[in-house]
Every structure is written in structure tokens, then in C-alpha cells.
Amino acid sequence: MSQSPSKETTTPGQGYLDAWQDLATRIRNGNSFSGREPNSVFLNTRGKRFADVSLMSGFGLPDDGRALAITDWDRDGDLDLWVSNRTGPRVRLLRNDYLTKANTLALRLEGDPSKGTPRDAIGAIATITLSDRTKLTRQVTAGDGFLSQSSKWLHFGLGSKATTTKIQVTWPGQTAGETFEAKPSGRWHLRQGTGKATAAKQAAIALKATPLTLPSPPPTMETYLSEPRSAPTLRYRTWSGSTATIDTQPLTLTLLWASWCQPCLKEMELLSTQHKAIQNAGIQVVALNIEEAQAKIEGTEAPSPKALEQRLRKLNWPFASGRASQEMVEALDQAQRNPLYKQEALPLPSSFLWHRGSLVSFTKGAVSADSILAQTQRLQQPVSKHPDHAIPFPGRWSNDHFITHPVAISRVYLEGGYNEHARRYLEEALAKVDEGEAAKRRYQEADIQYMLGETYRLENALPKIALPFYQRATKLNPQHSKATLAHARTLTALRRGKEAATILQTFLKRAPKQHDVLVQLGNTYQSLGQDDQAAAIYEFALKVKPDDFQTLNQLCWVLSTSRNPAFRNPRRALSLAQKILQRFSNNPHAIDTAATALASNQQFEKASQLTQRALAMAWKQRNDRLIKELKGRLSLYQQGKPFLR
Amino acid sequence: MWRVPLLSFIAILLGGPSAVAQTSPPAVPGTGIATPRYDPSHGGWDSEQAAEVTSSRLEALKETLASGTQAAGLEGIAAHNFRGAPLRPTKRDQAYIDDVLQVHRAGRDASDKLHGPSGWTQAVLSLTKGLSTGPLNVKFKTVGVETSATRVETRLEIRLDGETSDGKDLQVNSTWSCSWKRTGTSLALERFIVDDYEEVITTSTRGALFTEATATVVGRDPAFQNQLAHGLDHWLARLDTRVGLKVGGWNGLAVGDANGDGMEDLYVCQSGGLPNRLFLARADGTAGDVATAAGVDWLETSRGALFIDLDNDGDQDLVVSVAEGLVIQENDGSGRFTVRSAEVLPFAVPYSLAAADYDQDGDLDIFAACYDRRGHVDRNVALARPVPYQDATNGGRNSLLRNDGEFRFRHVTQRVGLDANNTRYSYAAAWADYDRDGDLDLYVANDFGRNNLYRQDKVRDQIRFTDVAESSGTLDIAAGMSAAWGDYDNDGFFDIYVSNMFSSAGNRIAKQARFLANEDTTTRDLFVRHARGNSLFHNLGPGKGFEDVSVSAAVTQGRWAWGSAFADFNNDGWQDLIVANGFITQEDTGDL
């Protein structure tokens, strides 16, 4: 790592990146990289130090081990081990054969969601105290180690010591433990709040150990591309010595062979017998002999064209043929390497299937007529189906379930507080808006502009930074309710209430019962000191949504606290206050508003009591601003004065 | 990603690779692959050359240990004035005994009681004869080297395993210091010290702790036979990379009762283009794949998976981390799964998942440890590009998804404080209430640098996580791969084990004066720390932080470690440790 930038501020130099690339290439070319390492097992020699028993444990396998999922699979009281590997076999079960006379106890904890514990009881801690006072503490987990989830059964090895039968369980979020009684062996279910352990039904199994023999890979490797790749120019020499080019437009199979390659001859012989079926499917076949190219590299003499033609005649080869140039061999080698991660030499025989100027598939090893015909069949299907053919076993793609629209993704980022990421997606979305019809485009852009404004608002930027985005959004789509609200709210905050009112009124002309817009208009009127108009709007909004807290609260507030006595209506305010207290007694703001209504009716003692209640809640919430306001109002009430804005 | 970058950099910087062409026989001529090989003598690193030469000078010793009989040339290793200790110390203390095995140990022996070449022979035979060993597997690692014009000092880690002549299994773990006299190109062993000695022998001839049961349980299942029996390289040589296949093998496992029959089942994640598998356990302990019928045969590269009851209806739902984010499926109770949610993650590729009810509202929330940033993911790039290598901050952001019921989730990473130090290469995370204050805390293991320990507190009634890795003593600046909590010393408090990379070459080179000679000591120390291996942090109790006991507990040697776990395998009440390791094994043995 001599070339790694060592400070956060420095950017990596080319040498550093090249070295990583060099490593990646080595792996791709088949080199090991910290390979053949035996797994490790450390035996706890009672609390201070561990003994390395890796190599004698039976787990010291040279696999490229990855995930470890531990569970008593055979339920015989000791912990077995599932391991995933990069190398084959990619999963193993290792049975625990450590033969001690120790007792064991397995517990499955079940939480009670009504007590605030998930049923899986993740995070619950069980403790068992042994007779020598050793305390065993185990926790229920869901996911740890590396890409692993082990069993939710808690496992206790109890040694040979007789133990008490008391199990202390601390459920998450609780400080006092719950005590369960169980025999000091076996498998038990423990349900929160029952204090009783019930025995699990499933019995132990005698799992036979049989040696694992891995199947040898099939000799032929067929690769079907997940999308076709354009064909290189494939020039070859005819037997008469002229240069020809393979036409990759029609369905064409090119195969490489040599007269010394027995599997090649066998392959060609079989293809010859099936030539009718192949021709009927419209497939052109060209057999290309590589021996001239080989002779050039090896400095030897190639068999004469005549001899090779003779060989083909003996095979009854019914298709075209010729001689591959070295350039062509290299092009084909590249064509098989590009799509594959693992870089391997091109074997003989090898064949390539072309269609519409592109490579569709290739086979390393002998190809059969059946396999070619099957591949040709797949070409009838749309290109979007290619990935399904490129995989060897069926399955389902999860991609369809994920949102891909940048606006939708930006919403997730916005929700998570990643405003900058959200903006990046929105800007990307903005660039894409060009597609589609004009009206739709306007709506889309309005949405994006609104969201851009939100990214700034949510990161507590100054209101005037978000304003132009809201402005653009409402201009593009005046019926965008969220944009209209945000725009009006921002203008109101900037003391431009008149403009805000105009925007809201325009909106309401088309949608007079849009409740949230009505409430905002009321708020804007309040900010302009037009409390009578505000009250009228709130009254109207209340008809649309009679139980809405915001509306009740604002109306009650205006009617109780308006500076202008003509606009105050203590009686109406009092009835609203009663409604508010019935419904929203857990909300300190609601209680505060109700108190102002009582005070405006000269009921100062009640107003004080309520305000004190609200204060206690505000204290709990550490809502400093509200505390300050409540204190101010409380002292007014105590002096027998109502609160006026 | 430590050992090889180091060596390859040295090779590239100081001499360049010398290429040797390798061609497999049945190939079309001219299509073979030439791979560069690195020659330690090439870079001009005297210490690397010395490590190589001293190691080869010990051939006759290795041969003696491997065969159990004295090899010719053994005596010739020692100088005429050799002084040293026996390989198997005379005084050994019993450290552990149970029905199956016993452990004996001895500390440092620098007594110099054996003299001259014959003394050296005697030192070696103390082990082979003393233990009456048969043929042994012998592994030497040179983990330290210091050179001067006239001397070479080396430190070796030794692992021997095999059988005694009466058929008991044994393993010997030892650390040696060798002092060599250097005359021109020749080296003679002048002093031999045993720094540490541990001997594990079974009490009977029945040895192994674990026995292979794969064939019994899944061996006959077609999904195993045709897919999982083959290593990833098999598929990497066949499948178009565009189906999403990845070389690293970062595909996980989840154990849980998928169909509610009371028996645990196994979910196996696969690399892109190969469908994930669900093996349902049968009453006889065998298991069969039902992934397709269950609706969980995802084809995108899947890394982590969890069986958890997300809606508290008594069955196990499934969460799988794929490249795009998290696929969340509801279990209908019988083991059939329906997608209820697909959560995108901010620019990050999720790896390990860890669930817990962090906010104590009665349902499980999900934490996704994320490694790369999305844009960095390239089909053919096997390795990340961390910057800066030893403490990288250009990784993907981890996410905490709060369960809001009805399979709706909300990103709360930022608002709960988990976005602090959150752009690292996180491989894994684990929840535990380490300070026993009633709420769950979170440890995150990061590659290429420091880890996080997020302590949960309530501030103004609000949940707030604070990264206390540094102040609690659990920073562990290294190549973090996995994290697991467990109470290894039975004091009632959860300790943490972190798997990293052990590197012999890293241990040798990072300590050389010329390595990063222009950097400050702090940076250089970080590189030394990177090569140490796995870490065990002992929880000293609430408010007291952790003590790094990795070396004294002798649990650093986890090689290139990935998964790790605490588990009491011998049922004595003390949790043992297990580590899966090895990065990439291919046919070519020219490993770095």
C-alpha cells in the first residue's frame, strides 16, 4: 500500500488504482489470493485464553469460508455448523461430534408484543447460574458475524456441574428479570409473562456422517450471453487460398477444429449426421481449421490444405469450411473472454453462434446439434428475455420490485435526511423531463421543482433559497396543492402574506374544498392581521373536516386572542375549547389554546390549571419555546388578564 | 485487502513483475494466459529476501517434523556456537482438560541450555521423540524479520498437526525467535528461543470436533448437486458477468424456521445469476430445496438474509440484501413468501443485516451494513478502491430502517445519530446491550479502517446513538470483516470479537524502517495494526470500556478472516470461537 493516499483529503494516484487493477487482473487470470487457508477454531480454556485447535478440529478445511450459521441442526444438544464458501462445495454442514458427558439446555424465547417485546425476542438476555456460581449469559440475536444469521435458540453447555433450574430472562427494555423454571437439560420454549417453560416437541435425530464426493463438472461449457455483443470482423482463408469473411447476419455457427483433436472430429461427425435439421433451422455452419495459425506460432509445418480437405470429406462434412487466421483466433479468443469473469484459454473444440451481426452464445467443448437448435429457438423470443437464457437455473429477478424513478428515489433520500443525494436524483430527473407530452412534462417538472424546494427547506436553509423552486412549481402547475402550500407558507414566513393569499385564493377557485389550503389561507390572513377573514375561512374549513385539530385549534386561538375586540368571540371559542380538550388532551398546544379560550371568558383559575398541565408536558418534551410562552401566559392568567396576540 | 496489495506494490514500484507464461495444454495455441509472478528478491527488500532465505534454511527441520525422523542436514542448520531451548519445553502446565482433550502450555524459554549443532538436534527431537509423533502437517509463517549486515533475526509462528504414534490427534502451536549469523550469502542459526508453546492432544483416538454431514443432509438434492457443489469459479468460467456474478463469494446464510414446523431451515444466498435456495429440514434431518415454490429464489447477487417475524404474527418473514437494496417478504405461515416491500438504500450496496427492536416499540427494525457506494460497483472489479487505505472514508452509507408496521419502513439513520462516521466500508454489524442500561447498542465492523461502536442513549426523550468506539477502546483500525458479541469470560457482560486479516507479509514489511518512510509514526502504526489479525475486546463492565485482550487470549490468528462466531462447541459453559477464512483459492498455487 506504499502508494495509498494516507490522508482523507488526498485523492488516489494512478499508481494506487493501477495496483488494485493489477490485483483484480491477477484474480481474473486464475491466481490465488490468500487461498488454501484452513478455517480457525479456538477453544476457550476457561475465560482467559483460547487454544488453537483449528487443524485438529475437522473444520480446518482449506475452503474460502465466508458465512457461519450456528444451530443444533440434529437437536442432540451440541452446536452444529453451517458454513458458506466461495469454493465448492459452497455450503457445508459440520456435525458436532465432541463427545462429553456435559448437560445442555436450549431455550427459545418468545416475547409478548403487547408488553413492547417483539415475538422473536431479539435482544432478550437469558442467564443461568451454575452450582459453582459461574454465570452463563446469552442473548437472542438476528444477524451477526459476516452475512450470517445463526439460530434464535439459545444454547447453554452446562458442563458436568449439577445446576440450579432457575433461568433469569431480561426482556428488552426491562430492567427486572423474569424467572423461569426448567430441568437442566433439553429444549424449552419460554414465553414472556408466563414464568413457565414448556418442552419442545421435536426430538433429536441421529444424523449419519457420510463422506462428501463432489460431482465433476461437465466437459462442455455453454455460455449464452445476457445481451448480444457485436461481432468482430472474422476473416479466413478458403482452401483455394483466397480471403473470405464470415457473414454474421444470418444465423451462423463457426467452429474451430484441428485434425489432431479427436473431440473435434467426433463433434463434427455428429453434426454431419444432423445436417438436415441444422439446415432446416436456417443455420449456416463454417468449420475453421486452426493448424495453419498453430504452425506459425509453434514454428512447425501445418498439414497441407489438401490433406485437411481430405479429412473433412472422410467426415462427410456437409457445411462450409476454411482456414482460421491467427488474427481470427485472437478475435474469437477475445470474444469468449470479454463476457466471462474468469479468463481461460480457448479450448478445442470451440464454437460460436452469430446472429444479426452479434455474438449470441459460445460453447467451449463439443457442441451438439440439439443444443444449437435449442439456442436458436430462444432467439425467437425478445431480447429482454436473454438474461433468463443466460442463467443456468430458473429464478426470479428482484429488480422489478424496486422503485427506479429518480423522483421516487429522491423521496426516500429526502425522508432519510439525505438532502444532497435527493437533489442529485432530482436534477437527474429534471434532465429527463424532456421526453413525453407537454402537459405531462409540466406536471412532472412542477413535482421536481417542489421536491427541490423541499430539500432546502428540510436542511433548514433560509426560506428565500427554497422560494424560487416553489414559485416555479406553482407556475408550472397551479393546482399542485403541496407546492402551493409550501409556496404560500414560505411567502408568509418572508412577510409577503398578500402574495401568499393571492396564490391560495387562485388555487381555491378551482378546488374550493381543499382543506389544507383553506387552513393555510386562514393562517396567512392571521399573519396579515385580518383575523375576521381568518376566522371565516377556518369556519368554512371546519365544515369540510369537522374534527381536524389544526382547524379547531387555529379557530379557537383566533377567536380567543385577537387584538381586535370586534374579532373576538369568547363564547364560540369556549365551545371549541371543550371539543379540543375532549379530543386532544395529550397535546400541550391544544391545552394551551383551550386555556386562552377560558381566559378570554374570564375563567382564569381554570386557564391557569390547564396551562400548568401543558407546562408539565412541555417540560417532558423539553420544548423550550413552548415552555417560555406558557410561562408568560400563566403569569397573565394569575394576574387575571387574558392573553392577546 | 492487505497482504497482496502490499507485495504487488512493492513489486511494481521497485522492480516490476517478471512474467512467466502459463498455458493449459488442450487450448488453441496463442490463447493462453501469461500471469506475472512476484519475486521477493526483485524489489530490493533485503528483509523479504532474508525471510525467504531463512525459511528455506529450515527445510531440514520441516522435513524432520513432517516425517518424524531426523532428516539429513538438520544438524547443518545450526552454527558451531549454537545455543537454544528445546522445541518442546520440559516444563509444561496443564491449561485445560475434559473428556475429550487436554491442553498444555509453556511460556518463553530463552534458557540456552542446549549447545552446538548436536544440541540443536536434541532441541528438535524433544518434540518428535517427546510426543512420539508420526508424520505431521507442518506450517511455518515468518511474522517478523530484522536484518543487519551480519545478522538476521526472524520470528516464526508454527502450527503442527497430526497424530501421535498411538493414534491420538494432536496440534502444536508455537512461536519461535531465531537469530542467524550472516556471512555473505550463508546463514547459520546461532540462537533459538521458544517464545510460546501450546500442545493440544486428544485423550483417546477418537478425535475430530466436527464431522462432515453435508452429504447426508443436502447431498442428494439437485440444487446442491448442480449448483452449490460447484465453486464460484466454475460459474465464473461459464456465465456472462452481466447476470451479476461476483468473484468474492460474499453470499450469506440464514437459519430459521421458514415453514413453522418447529425445525430450523436454511436459506442460502447466491451470487448473481444463480438463484437463492431454501432448504427445508425434514424430520430425519435431511433437507430439500423449495426456493422456487416458496417464492424466494432471487437471482440478483444476494449477500445477507434474515428470518425475522416483522409483523409479530408468529411466523418468520424474510429480508434479503440484494444490490438494489432490501427485499422484504411476508411469510403466510406455511413457508410461502410474498414481497411486501423493496427498500432502496442511499447509494450503498448492502451486506450483512442485523435486526433488533432498537426503539422498543415491540417490532423489529433492520440495520443494513453497506460496503461499496453504488456508483463504484463495476462488473469486473473484484476489489474496492479505499481512500485512504488504512482508514478509508469513501465507502457506502449504512442504513437503519425503522419498522412502522404493515411492512412499512422508514430511514431513520440520520435522525438517530447513526450517520456519524457512516461512510466506511462496512461488512457487518451486531446489536447488544453492552452497557446493560436496557437499550441496544450497535457495533459495526469496517474494512480498511476503524470500526464503530454506537451507544444508544435517550436525550430529551429522543433516541440518540453516539459513536464511542474510540473512547470505549474498540476502535480496532484494521480490515474488519465481521463482528460478534458474546460473554467469553462469563462475567455477565458482552465482549466483542472482530475478524480482520492476519498477514505474515504485512507483519514483516510494515515494521521495516523503509516502509512508508515519509509518513508519520501514527500512519505507520496503523499499517502494522492492520496486519495483526482478529481482535477480542473484553468488556470491563458498564462505564469502564473495553480492554483489547486479542494477543493475551491468543485469538488473532484467523488468517484472511470472514465470518466469526462465539459458540460453546464443547458444552463446558465457556464460549469458544470459530472463524471462516481464506480469500480466493484457484488452481494456480502461485499465491501471494
Side-chain angles (χ1 to χ4, degrees), chain A residues 265-474:
Chain A
L265 301 175
K266 181 95 195 160
E267 172 197 44
M268 290 162 77
E269 201 181 324
L270 287 171
L271 289 176
S272 300
T273 61
Q274 304 254 7
H275 77 274
K276 278 230 172 86
I278 293 171
Q279 271 159 354
N280 289 344
I283 305 166
Q284 305 188 5
V285 182
V286 190
L288 296 157
N289 182 280
I290 56 116
E291 282 162 275
E292 211 173 80
Q294 178 184 14
K296 252 189 208 160
I297 291 170
E298 293 172 357
T300 52
E301 193 118 335
S304 72
K306 259 200 181 143
L308 293 172
E309 275 195 275
Q310 183 66 33
R311 195 76 195 76
L312 287 172
R313 266 199 295 279
K314 247 177 91 182
L315 290 170
N316 287 323
W317 183 247
F319 305 107
S321 57
R323 288 171 279 176
S325 63
Q326 203 182 323
E327 182 198 353
M328 178 188 224
V329 167
E330 277 164 19
L332 292 175
D333 186 36
Q334 207 51 55
Q336 65 96 8
R337 277 166 192 249
N338 286 342
L340 299 176
Y341 180 85
K342 201 170 158 82
Q343 302 287 284
E344 285 178 339
L346 185 62
L348 273 185
S350 281
S351 57
F352 296 79
L353 185 66
W354 314 93
H355 185 49
R356 294 191 183 144
S358 291
L359 177 63
V360 171
S361 67
F362 55 87
T363 306
K364 299 201 267 186
V367 74
S368 70
D370 286 350
S371 133
I372 299 165
L373 291 170
Q375 291 185 26
T376 322
Q377 283 285 308
R378 295 177 187 167
L379 284 172
Q380 314 290 325
Q381 293 173 34
V383 180
S384 62
K385 285 276 172 208
H386 277 248
D388 290 338
H389 302 318
I391 54 169
F393 309 100
R396 65 200 75 201
W397 301 98
S398 63
N399 273 352
D400 307 344
H401 294 280
F402 284 93
I403 50 167
T404 50
H405 197 281
V407 176
I409 294 177
S410 72
R411 215 164 264 142
V412 177
Y413 289 166
L414 208 55
E415 182 195 284
Y418 302 105
N419 304 304
E420 217 174 296
H421 288 333
R423 266 200 291 280
R424 223 191 292 177
Y425 270 90
L426 289 167
E427 274 147 21
E428 190 191 309
L430 212 51
K432 278 189 189 165
V433 164
D434 286 344
E435 306 144 23
E437 54 176 299
K440 211 175 148 194
R441 261 185 358 230
R442 257 201 345 263
Y443 289 153
Q444 277 177 4
E445 198 188 329
D447 216 27
I448 297 167
Q449 295 288 1
Y450 159 69
M451 297 269 292
L452 279 168
E454 288 290 280
T455 65
Y456 289 106
R457 181 180 70 80
L458 289 169
E459 77 186 14
N460 297 320
L462 293 171
K464 66 176 178 198
I465 295 174
L467 185 66
F469 296 98
Y470 295 142
Q471 241 160 9
R472 258 171 260 154
T474 43

Side-chain angles (χ1 to χ4, degrees), chain B residues 150-170:
Chain B
T150 55
R151 303 209 65 81
V152 177
E153 315 287 335
T154 55
R155 203 172 144 87
L156 285 91
E157 252 191 41
I158 311 302
R159 293 287 182 278
L160 309 171
D161 77 291
E163 286 183 8
T164 60
S165 56
D166 55 351
K168 291 171 183 166
D169 277 8
L170 77 91

Side-chain angles (χ1 to χ4, degrees), chain B residues 49-119:
Chain B
Q49 205 168 345
E52 182 100 343
V53 176
T54 50
S55 172
S56 64
R57 278 291 278 131
L58 291 170
E59 267 323 309
L61 168 61
K62 291 179 198 164
E63 217 178 291
T64 304
L65 295 171
S67 64
T69 51
Q70 185 179 345
L74 176 67
E75 211 165 286
I77 294 170
H80 66 91
N81 57 341
F82 171 85
R83 292 166 299 141
L87 268 60
R88 185 179 192 233
T90 356
K91 198 179 161 297
R92 301 172 304 273
D93 298 324
Q94 187 182 70
Y96 181 88
I97 184 164
D98 68 11
D99 310 337
V100 178
L101 52 76
Q102 44 187 305
V103 180
H104 288 85
R105 288 191 189 120
R108 183 174 153 93
D109 184 354
S111 63
D112 292 339
K113 65 179 124 194
L114 300 168
H115 299 269
S118 63

Side-chain angles (χ1 to χ4, degrees), chain B residues 519-536:
Chain B
E519 291 292 346
D520 51 59
T521 340
T522 321
T523 305
R524 289 165 47 94
D525 285 350
L526 288 186
F527 276 87
V528 173
R529 181 65 172 72
H530 260 267
R532 189 186 78 176
N534 296 352
S535 301
L536 177 62

Side-chain angles (χ1 to χ4, degrees), chain A residues 70-90:
Chain A
I70 292 159
T71 176
D72 181 5
W73 184 262
D74 51 8
R75 301 184 291 275
D76 65 348
D78 53 34
L79 291 172
D80 311 304
L81 182 63
W82 282 103
V83 57
S84 77
N85 299 315
R86 200 196 74 85
T87 41
R90 280 183 291 125

Side-chain angles (χ1 to χ4, degrees), chain B residues 131-132 134 162-170 201-207:
Chain B
L131 275 169
S132 82
E163 286 183 8
T164 60
S165 56
D166 55 351
K168 291 171 183 166
D169 277 8
L170 77 91
I201 304 184
T202 55
T203 45
S204 72
T205 53
R206 220 188 146 284

Side-chain angles (χ1 to χ4, degrees), chain B residues 392-411:
Chain B
T393 53
N394 62 336
R397 279 196 145 89
N398 304 326
S399 277
L400 176 63
L401 289 163
R402 190 182 72 199
N403 187 345
D404 281 355
E406 297 290 319
F407 290 89
R408 284 191 317 261
F409 296 86
R410 185 172 275 268
H411 287 263

